Amino acid sequence: MKLHEYQSKQIFSRYGIPVPAGKVAASADEARQAADEIGCPVVIKSQVLVGGRGKAGGIKLARSVREAEELASQILSMDIKGLPVRKVLVDPAANIEQEIYLGITNDRAARRPVFMASAAGGVDIEEVARTTPEKIIKVHIDPLLGLRDYQARDIAIGIDLPKEYWKQFGEICRGLWRAYMECDATLAEINPLVILKEQSLMALDGKMALDDNALFRHPELAEMRDLDEEAPAETEARKYGLSFIKLDGQIGCMVNGAGLAMTTMDIVKLFGGEPANFLDIGGGAGADKVAAAMRIILSDKNVKAILFNVFGGITRCDEVARGILAALAEVKPAIPMIVRLVGTNAEEGRKLLADANMITADTLADAARKSVAAAGA
Ligand code: GDP
Ligand code: MN
């Protein structure tokens, strides 16, 4: 789950990281009031869950309250990379001396979190990463030991930070580390962390992504989810406890088990098709779950066929088949459906489905081949 800039900065602030005293506004009128209370100049910042807002024109400096209102109205009517702007953050403008990049993420290959930092922060950090990766320094952190003081110093030295800022930089690194660990984040990033003309450091932007699988431990963070920003299919999938990820292909995949779902997608590709989604309906999925999954898959207009790949272990195949039949009665899809059932009571399951106009397959390869053919027809 991604957090908005204003939410990330609220969290950062709780961990002692200095951030501008901004206000969120959902209308031009609210933005004018916020600008008036904060005092101009202010920066009007679009709140959308995508990077590169600055370059897309979603961040503007307003010198007066009237200008703040105008710019907010303009930004609130924008789409940034396909996402409509629904809120803006009104921040007091900062006098920037230098923009630094500072972030933490998981380095899966190293099996531990990694701090990344660069003296060349700001809107061109992706370009820096591509063309001059040596300008980004990395320090891996032992999750059990946590961030050590010498490591924060190593980062400061690595980005040539003047010595007078080391103490404050160390506090910010520790705050960011604690925010990352205590929130079960997968990303905590400040870009830019600026050296102000007033000779102190401040986080002007903030970005956090949280591990969905750990959200049950953080009800107050889970509440920060912005349903407006989420694809409706994903909201629906979460409601039914389905793991769903939308993809761009034509073959809808309904599978029980994450590993089997991955395999199914691979085989679909092997036979020349493209999966429309990843979907794990989980063990013991009843008719209501299957029906919800079917509705979610069918809400994607690119889907030309649905492939059911079910391995009945704990869940018996005849039960799954009944679930599929009940779902069919409810959803009535108009596209071909291919089903491969294997495992406990597979025979009974297949018999139940034989009358339902479904294409049955004996092997996964057979099912994939038939799905690709059906989708192409
Ligand atoms: P992003 O483009 O989505 O990463 O949005 P940022 O919040 O990082 O803003 C982009 C850029 O706008 C920053 O790198 C700064 O150069 C500039 N910016 C943001 N806030 C301020 C501010 O308060 N004062 C000034 N002068 N520039 C700002
Ligand atoms: Mn930024």
Side-chain angles (χ1 to χ4, degrees):
M1 169 177 137
K2 288 181 189 170
L3 296 182
H4 281 295
E5 174 191 4
Y6 75 91
Q7 297 169 320
S8 306
K9 280 153 101 178
Q10 274 167 10
I11 293 174
F12 289 170
S13 161
R14 274 183 236 150
Y15 287 93
I17 299 172
V19 298
K23 289 180 194 294
V24 181
S27 68
D29 200 42
E30 282 176 29
R32 178 179 46 76
Q33 276 177 34
D36 194 33
E37 284 164 31
I38 291 165
C40 287
V42 291
V43 183
I44 311 287
K45 312 186 74 177
S46 53
Q47 298 297 290
V48 280
L49 296 176
V50 67
R53 297 163 304 160
K55 287 197 170 168
I59 299 197
K60 293 269 164 63
L61 182 77
R63 285 172 199 80
S64 69
V65 170
R66 246 198 59 210
E67 199 183 1
E69 183 177 4
E70 273 166 28
L71 289 172
S73 143
Q74 193 184 312
I75 290 174
L76 283 165
S77 65
M78 282 173 74
D79 267 15
I80 296 181
K81 298 182 184 169
L83 299 175
V85 180
R86 294 187 172 89
K87 288 184 204 128
V88 292
L89 174 64
V90 183
D91 262 358
N95 296 309
I96 302 172
E97 180 99 14
Q98 188 194 334
E99 302 195 5
I100 293 164
Y101 174 92
L102 182 68
I104 313 173
T105 189
N106 271 333
D107 183 341
R108 284 170 189 270
R111 295 189 290 177
R112 52 185 60 194
V114 60
F115 258 91
M116 290 172 296
S118 176
V123 295
D124 288 322
I125 193 68
E126 279 87 6
E127 183 69 13
V128 173
R130 205 174 54 245
T131 56
T132 48
E134 69 279 3
K135 286 191 183 161
I136 298 178
I137 68 142
K138 294 183 177 177
V139 174
H140 289 91
I141 311 294
D142 184 315
L144 298 178
L145 294 177
L147 173 72
R148 315 308 289 173
D149 285 348
Y150 77 88
Q151 292 177 308
R153 227 153 30 234
D154 281 352
I155 300 169
I157 294 167
I159 59 169
D160 288 324
L161 186 72
K163 203 161 183 179
E164 63 262 37
Y165 298 111
W166 285 12
K167 182 162 173 287
Q168 206 198 353
F169 184 75
E171 284 158 12
I172 290 171
C173 287
R174 278 188 291 280
L176 195 64
W177 171 253
R178 283 185 52 219
Y180 179 82
M181 291 302 277
E182 288 176 21
C183 297
D184 287 311
T186 54
L187 175 76
E189 183 184 271
I190 307 174
N191 185 36
L193 171 67
V194 297
I195 302 181
L196 295 170
K197 293 242 160 58
E198 295 82 357
Q199 318 258 286
S200 65
L201 301 177
M202 183 176 262
L204 279 206
D205 188 10
K207 195 185 217 175
M208 284 187 92
L210 307 179
D211 185 344
D212 284 318
N213 293 314
L215 276 180
F216 74 95
R217 304 207 285 201
H218 309 283
E220 75 298 346
L221 296 177
E223 264 174 36
M224 289 181 151
R225 189 187 293 277
D226 185 348
L227 291 177
D228 284 342
E229 297 280 323
E230 203 175 49
E234 281 170 23
T235 312
E236 182 81 359
R238 208 180 43 256
K239 205 167 91 194
Y240 286 91
L242 305 163
S243 311
F244 172 83
I245 293 160
K246 191 194 162 335
L247 301 167
D248 296 327
Q250 327 77 28
I251 299 176
C253 299
M254 174 129 35
V255 188
N256 66 336
L260 193 58
M262 298 291 278
T263 309
T264 307
M265 290 160 60
D266 281 348
I267 302 238
V268 163
K269 283 181 175 236
L270 191 66
F271 282 92
E274 284 293 330
N277 64 280
F278 167 92
L279 174 67
D280 172 12
I281 57 172
D288 57 334
K289 253 190 173 183
V290 176
M294 212 126 85
R295 281 197 303 273
I296 290 165
I297 291 180
L298 290 168
S299 69
D300 175 355
K301 295 296 160 234
N302 290 333
V303 173
K304 300 284 183 286
I306 302 183
L307 166 53
F308 291 79
N309 185 22
V310 174
F311 181 81
I314 299 168
T315 320
R316 301 191 327 255
C317 288
D318 55 323
E319 243 167 59
V320 174
R322 280 195 196 90
I324 294 175
L325 289 178
L328 283 181
E330 186 199 325
V331 183
K332 301 189 182 64
I335 56 174
M337 284 175 299
I338 298 84
V339 60
R340 176 210 176 219
L341 275 180
V342 188
T344 314
N345 291 2
E347 240 354 276
E348 290 88 325
R350 271 188 230 124
K351 256 181 222 142
L352 282 167
L353 293 178
D355 301 330
N357 256 344
M358 295 184 93
I359 304 168
T360 53
D362 296 328
T363 65
L364 182 47
D366 187 31
R369 193 181 304 113
K370 285 174 174 165
S371 301
V372 173

